[in-house]
Amino acid sequence: MRRLSGRFRSSLIIGIQGIRARKLRTLLSMVSLFLGVLAVVVVQAGASIAERALLADLEIQQGYDGTRVMDMPMQQNATEVLTATVRGREDAVAMLGVSGIVGEPGVLPVNPGGAPLDQDWGPAMVCNDQGCEPAPGVKGQAVEVRLTALSGDVRKFRPYRTVSGQWLDFTRMPSMSPKLVLNQPAADAFEQYRVPAEMRVGGAAANVTPQFVGVVDDGDMQPRAYVRLDELTTWLPPSRMSDPNTGGEMRLLMTQGSPVEPVVSAKLKALGVEPYVQTIETRKEQEKQLTLMRLVFFSMAGLVLLIGVAGILNVGLATVGERVEEFALRRAVGTPRTLLAGIVLAETLLTGLLTAAAAIGASAAALKVVTMLVGDSQPILRDVQFPWEAGVAGIIAGIVAGVLGGFVPALRAAGIPIATVMRA
Amino acid sequence: MTALIELDGITKVLKGQEQPRTILDGVGLTVNAGQSVAIVGRSGSGKSTLLSVIGLFDRPDSGSYRLDGQEIAKLPERRAAKLRSSHFGFVFQRFFLLKHLTAAQNVAMALVNGQGWLPRRQRRSLVMEALDQVGIAHLAKSRPAKMSGGEQQRVAIARALVRDPKILLADEPTGALDIETGTLVIDALLAATERGCGLILVTHDRDHAARMGQIHDLVDGVLTERVTVR
Ligand SMILES: Nc1ncnc2c1ncn2[C@@H]1O[C@H](COP(=O)(O)OP(=O)(O)O)[C@@H](O)[C@H]1O
Ligand SMILES: [Mg+2]
């Protein structure tokens, strides 16, 4: 143990002496290696950033991996069954989507059907038993949102990011005037149209004045407003939510193995409703796609790294050739051959690590500059941190290059005969 | 008392050419602690080859080599490296100093070789002591390029002495020096023998050879002691 640490220290001391004595050489090795390590760091950084961004969006839009999602058509009895079953449960949250028009009374919304503001989904329709026809009236200062009623805190399943204000508070008593949390498109729409805040919901007993308490990022393009189900039901009973002109999706998010699932399924089947259930596996699926992409990019980066290794190898061999006398002398004073090899390896390893440090520093700095310059227009680049995986990849690349580039020179150095070199 | 070095019938044959050439032919030599031995002979007579066998750079093809009474003629390289570090100090005609290191670092090189580990402070005091022994402690921080030949050779001697060797091997150490500095170098080597170190000096210089306790002639690989008539 002591001998090993003595050798380790010796090779480190001598290696550093060697590097300091040949600064230009070291610099040239680093230059030849820099691009290779940089390529590895950049590929890993890109992969990590892309993966994180994609996964974060997917988790917001679809849910964490393992979440059970049950979709069903909105139907009068089904709504009641669902809301009654999940009431007060921690392991399941029901999401009921209805249409809500917020704004000037009596006008058509600027975005019929709750379309994103920059899209046209066709005119507003009214339907009855005879069929559907365009709704009468003119467009005014009103925005149609998907009003999504939540039976509990859905953020257990989907990590909506709070942009401003607060998220819905499910712990306090339901309020008489509903508190709404908007998503970003809805917030933008209200910003743009400065609508008077009155909300019409088909089937509701009366129009109400909602309170906007916050804005979240839910990854959706459609304007949406979130509301507590128990607050909505005080003026829109579940039985009236299934109005064909307003009603929409009904969804149940559950933990895996939640007892709610079989109960709701059974009850719905009894009503003749066939629910569709799936498990969220976004991360898994994403990983499959990313693995292939990463493989392609890493092979290219590896190739560039290999060229750098050839550079280190070249410089290393030339250096050993020049240092024949030094190595013979070191052997003469009792330096074991393994330590000589260790010295050469230590030098290339240190060179590799220095290069890695330079490449990591350069890409971290570049990322900082890029996020500062275009971060505002590219949400994917907004406050991204330099991923630690990229740093690790760079260090590994530096070590691998150092070992590969130093191995042959190290063997050469260990094989130098003393007698021939030192003969006077 | 056992001799420090005892060679008997040492033979070294050079292979590789069309016919093998015998470089050392049954060499016998005994050196005791504190003894000094000169080896003289024509160029190409095998003096350096003999030193490299004694210094364990190379192994003899046959014969017996006892160091401190231990037979080491067929020593594996790993143990030979250890013995080079613990028993031998080497001085060559060319000084073989490392250009990028200071005098002190050049001397410390013999300590930083993986054979055991000394703390920095202890290393420094050993290095300064060795430099002091050869009278150049004031040059500790200079690099070889700034030193005269005699000074450089004394750095090399300090490097040989720093591990407190049992035997010094010097291969024409004054060959590249003028008479005066050469004499200083021999002084430094002889001073070590007074502390009980053995010395084997290969030299062309009669005067230097005459200062040694014994003189041996090497002629075509055969070593014979010269009986000096003083
Ligand atoms: N590695 C070698 N390759 C070729 N010839 C060698 C080698 N080693 C020694 N010799 C030959 O062996 C002889 C003795 O060499 P050496 O011991 O250096 O003599 P000296 O030091 O007495 O001048 C010389 O003729 C030399 O050419
Ligand atoms: Mg010679």
Side-chain angles (χ1 to χ4, degrees), chain A residues 50-348:
Chain A
E51 185 175 349
R52 261 175 227 176
L54 287 176
L55 275 178
D57 276 1
L58 284 172
E59 274 173 349
I60 287 176
Q61 285 168 26
Q62 305 193 16
Y64 289 123
D65 267 19
T67 304
R68 295 281 288 170
V69 178
M70 185 186 285
D71 281 303
M72 63 214 87
M74 228 184 214
Q75 217 192 57
Q76 192 178 344
N77 299 331
T79 324
E80 280 162 355
V81 163
L82 190 62
T83 51
T85 317
V86 300
R87 182 168 301 133
R89 293 216 54 113
E90 287 288 309
D91 54 349
V93 172
M95 301 176 81
L96 282 73
V98 297
S99 162
I101 296 170
V102 182
E104 223 181 326
V107 295
L108 292 178
V110 290
N111 60 332
L117 282 215
D118 53 359
Q119 288 177 25
D120 188 359
W121 285 3
M125 305 292 273
V126 276
C127 298
N128 53 29
D129 298 342
Q130 273 82 51
C132 294
E133 54 186 43
V138 287
K139 286 187 183 179
Q141 295 285 90
V143 176
E144 181 170 348
V145 296
R146 296 303 298 167
L147 191 58
T148 306
L150 303 171
S151 70
D153 194 347
V154 75
R155 291 211 286 194
K156 276 191 297 251
F157 303 103
R158 292 184 183 178
Y160 295 159
R161 286 185 286 255
T162 309
V163 176
S164 63
Q166 290 141 13
W167 175 239
L168 298 171
D169 183 358
F170 290 87
T171 56
R172 48 156 194 80
M173 289 291 292
S175 153
M176 284 311 287
S177 83
K179 292 188 184 344
L180 297 190
V181 169
L182 304 175
N183 71 354
Q184 195 69 54
D188 291 346
F190 290 132
E191 184 87 353
Q192 198 174 336
Y193 288 96
R194 305 202 164 279
V195 292
E198 187 184 73
M199 179 159 70
R200 282 170 277 151
V201 180
N207 289 356
V208 288
T209 309
Q211 287 174 269
F212 297 132
V213 296
V215 178
V216 292
D217 177 5
D218 66 353
D220 203 337
M221 306 278 290
Q222 240 188 313
R224 263 181 199 280
Y226 294 93
V227 63
R228 275 173 63 164
L229 178 62
D230 49 8
E231 287 181 6
L232 185 67
T233 48
T234 55
W235 44 283
L236 178 67
S239 57
R240 305 253 283 278
M241 282 181 194
S242 50
D243 183 330
N245 289 315
T246 60
E249 72 267 352
M250 202 155 71
R251 175 170 284 173
L252 188 56
L253 303 180
M254 294 162 288
T255 57
Q256 205 122 31
S258 159
V260 171
E261 184 178 334
V263 173
V264 170
S265 294
K267 285 184 179 170
L268 289 176
K269 275 192 188 124
L271 292 173
V273 176
E274 198 60 47
Y276 171 73
V277 190
Q278 73 184 113
T279 306
I280 302 294
E281 288 186 327
T282 46
R283 189 176 283 270
K284 244 200 224 156
E285 278 160 26
Q286 194 66 31
E287 220 101 281
K288 254 187 256 159
Q289 291 175 18
L290 283 176
T291 306
L292 185 70
M293 239 171 55
R294 213 178 301 164
L295 203 69
V296 172
F297 280 106
F298 268 119
S299 341
M300 296 197 303
L303 212 64
V304 185
L305 187 65
L306 217 58
I307 296 171
V309 168
I312 279 209
L313 187 63
N314 187 19
V315 173
L317 282 177
T319 310
V320 168
E322 266 175 27
R323 295 165 76 187
V324 165
E325 279 190 0
E326 177 188 336
F327 289 132
L329 175 69
R330 289 194 186 281
R331 287 196 62 196
V333 299
T335 309
R337 288 202 245 205
T338 47
L339 180 56
L340 276 192
I343 291 165
V344 175
L345 267 182
E347 287 183 20
T348 54

Side-chain angles (χ1 to χ4, degrees), chain A residues 6-7 9-10 13-14 17 21 325-326 329-337 339 418-419 421-424, chain B residues 48-49 57-58 77 81 84-85 90 92-94 96 98 100-101 105 109 112-115 117 123 159:
Chain A
R7 290 198 180 179
R9 286 170 168 181
S10 298
I13 289 185
I14 300 168
Q17 281 177 347
E325 279 190 0
E326 177 188 336
L329 175 69
R330 289 194 186 281
R331 287 196 62 196
V333 299
T335 309
R337 288 202 245 205
L339 180 56
I418 321 173
V421 180
M422 309 305 271
R423 190 180 307 275
Chain B
S48 296
T49 306
F57 294 174
D58 219 342
E77 170 56 26
R84 287 199 293 270
S85 168
F90 302 95
F92 307 93
Q93 175 173 6
R94 290 191 290 140
F96 290 115
L98 301 182
H100 62 279
L101 301 181
Q105 286 173 322
M109 197 204 94
V112 182
N113 65 4
Q115 305 283 12
W117 182 260
R123 257 181 4 230
R159 179 180 66 200

